[in-house]
Amino acid sequence: MRTSIATVSLSGSLTEKLTAAARAGFGGVEIFENDLLASSLTPEEIRARCADLGLSIDLYQPMRDIEAVPEDEFARNLRRARHKFELMRRLGADTVLVCSSVSPRAVADDALAAEQLSRLAGTAQEFGIRVAYEALAWGRHVSTYDHAWHIVESAGHPALGTCLDSFHILSRGSDPKGIEDIPGEKIFFLQLADAPLLAMDVLQWSRHYRCFPGQGGFDVAGLLRHVLRTGYDGPLSLEVFNDVFRQAEAGPTAVDARRSLLVLQETVGRAALPEPVVPTGVAFAELVTPDAEPLTALLGALGFARTARHRGKPVALWEQGDARILVNTGPMVRRDGTQLAAIGLESPDPAAAARRAEALLAPVLPRRRASEDAPLDAVAAPDGTELFFCATGRPSLPDWRADFEDTAPAPAPAGVRGIDHLALTQPWHHFDEAALFHHGVLGLHAQESVDVADPYGLLRSRAVTNTDGSVRIALTVGPAPTDDTVHAQHIALATDDVVASARRFREAGGALLPVPANYYDDLAARYEFAEGELETYRDLGILYDRDARGVFRHCYTRTVGRVFFELVQRDDGYRGYGAPNAPVRLAAQHTARALTGG
């Protein structure tokens, strides 16, 4: 289906918005009136610019407070409308959005509304323009889509139809099944937006918190199915008011928007994309560092051993159990500390996974490799993390470990048996995009977003995981655009006995994150422990949580650069990440940084 995006959804000047939309692959745009008024281009120049970019102008919007008003005011509205219709003719737009009135002078008279909208449509028809009437969720007298359709149907004018907006419909809890009673040819336009489920004024909700389909809590796909059953054949258009998107670069936002529509079309059976190839495990985590010594000392204390090195690059492989850490000290490494730069994902079909990623607009990363290197496909996640699709130990597929030369045998098990999960700090404006990316591109299930208290505000965190939990990634974002240093990335290592692993780490010279005594006093009030158990946790800085399935025990190393490690023990099917303990951990890390000047 043809796709479109409202210019209000993107940041920048009108020219920048049009360019971003075209480069992302949209076929059309809705021109938001404020964007046109602020542009130095004439309507003819905007029309030509869109034509050069291959964009149709699918809608001009909005026209407000038109209907169900006293006759003298409606006469002024018609005069205003004629000016807009003449501008639209110059622009090359043939459909105008008319929102249900919020004017205090509007009256609750459906017959008057229908009569005046019919006259408006008659005037629009003289200019070759159609009128799409939309019910605003906060409209003064018309606030539901079925009410708006009743008025349009009563008016009976061929140039008057309705515009359906998923936010206005779903935010009010309206049943979208009734959409199927509207003839498809009378649905002149469809606007799509998702939103998190919030308890707040619907106008503020709409103006600040909309997001792209698949990033919120609305059943946008269900609504779209109802619309398609009417025979609607117009564009799928995104109209998203979002403070974060309006501050982010237009180009990446437009790509995120287009990806959301591709996933949405796939969901409703209107897009033929390569099938999702869900990763089955973590092959490796790659850390880049300008100073390997503190990192390798930390790895050694955790029980890892350096087992191999890359044949042609300054990359060393450290292993313990099924946990593999690559340490990269190459010349391209950034000088601002150790960072988690890449993740190797075990894939049943790496080539198919890469095709899926490319079809969903994931940036395919060029890779410098020698002729004998394993041909690994990699794409960039929204935060810049490189994702490699790997096949470890499968004879029929290239093995990334073939690029390494053994330097020592793998160590005897020392407690760590694998990577439990990875935590990635997202740029402030990429959080929603990251959740959609990991779900749509990788086929991971996105769990509910949670808020975590930090010394400087609230963090948002959202985990994505495969069905059996062999791949878990926690996506986190700070409370403000400038908050890019407090929240490090981390690698959680799975162990069957966190107490033994923590003691072994400390005996090897490792430093565990100190946890305040107040935390353990609170634990004693909330849970009953065996004799000496709580004292052991207090001594080692182990935190504790329970859910309906099981128990979680975990502790943290000190931070090296922007990375720290977590030792975790999951018992009896615990599925969470110790979220109740996150505020304590964050505050403890803040204190540790203050003491060390880090």
Side-chain angles (χ1 to χ4, degrees), residues 181-244:
D181 297 330
I182 305 174
E185 65 273 12
K186 294 301 285 183
I187 301 174
F188 282 4
F189 209 72
L190 174 64
Q191 294 176 320
L192 298 171
D194 206 336
L197 301 180
L198 302 172
M200 66 184 307
D201 173 73
V202 70
L203 177 58
Q204 296 304 310
W205 192 11
S206 173
R207 292 280 171 84
H208 301 284
Y209 295 100
R210 294 195 195 195
C211 53
F212 298 128
Q215 297 178 346
F218 288 163
D219 183 10
V220 180
L223 180 142
L224 178 56
R225 289 189 183 98
H226 292 304
V227 174
L228 295 176
R229 290 186 189 118
T230 70
Y232 173 77
D233 62 358
L236 306 182
S237 190
L238 297 170
E239 186 197 40
V240 173
F241 299 86
N242 185 293
D243 295 343
V244 175

Side-chain angles (χ1 to χ4, degrees), residues 131-189:
V131 173
Y133 182 55
E134 171 189 66
L136 293 178
W138 54 89
R140 184 171 180 83
H141 300 295
V142 178
S143 58
T144 62
Y145 78 91
D146 49 346
H147 191 176
W149 163 240
H150 169 73
I151 292 172
V152 168
E153 188 178 31
S154 297
H157 196 287
L160 178 64
T162 190
C163 173
L164 299 176
D165 183 305
S166 64
F167 179 86
H168 292 305
I169 295 170
L170 299 175
S171 65
R172 291 189 60 87
S174 298
D175 184 352
K177 191 177 188 308
I179 290 171
E180 296 183 28
D181 297 330
I182 305 174
E185 65 273 12
K186 294 301 285 183
I187 301 174
F188 282 4
F189 209 72

Side-chain angles (χ1 to χ4, degrees), residues 440-487:
V441 173
L442 302 179
L444 299 176
H445 172 66
Q447 298 177 354
E448 291 297 319
S449 177
V450 297
D451 291 334
V452 176
D454 171 77
Y456 296 103
L458 286 179
L459 300 180
R460 292 175 66 198
S461 183
R462 192 172 193 182
V464 292
T465 180
N466 62 0
T467 302
D468 65 4
S470 57
V471 176
R472 299 185 181 98
I473 301 174
L475 309 169
T476 304
V477 68
T482 56
D483 184 37
D484 62 354
T485 59
V486 175
H487 312 293

Side-chain angles (χ1 to χ4, degrees), residues 66 68-78 105 112 115-116 119:
I66 293 291
V69 293
E71 185 59 30
D72 61 334
E73 183 164 341
F74 183 69
R76 290 191 292 272
N77 290 344
L78 275 183
R105 299 198 69 192
L112 178 60
E115 188 269 335
Q116 291 183 343
R119 289 162 62 188

Side-chain angles (χ1 to χ4, degrees), residues 400-425:
W400 61 275
R401 295 179 303 180
D403 295 346
F404 289 78
E405 298 174 335
D406 291 340
T407 58
V416 169
R417 53 181 173 77
I419 292 177
D420 181 88
H421 66 272
L422 301 149
L424 303 176
T425 301

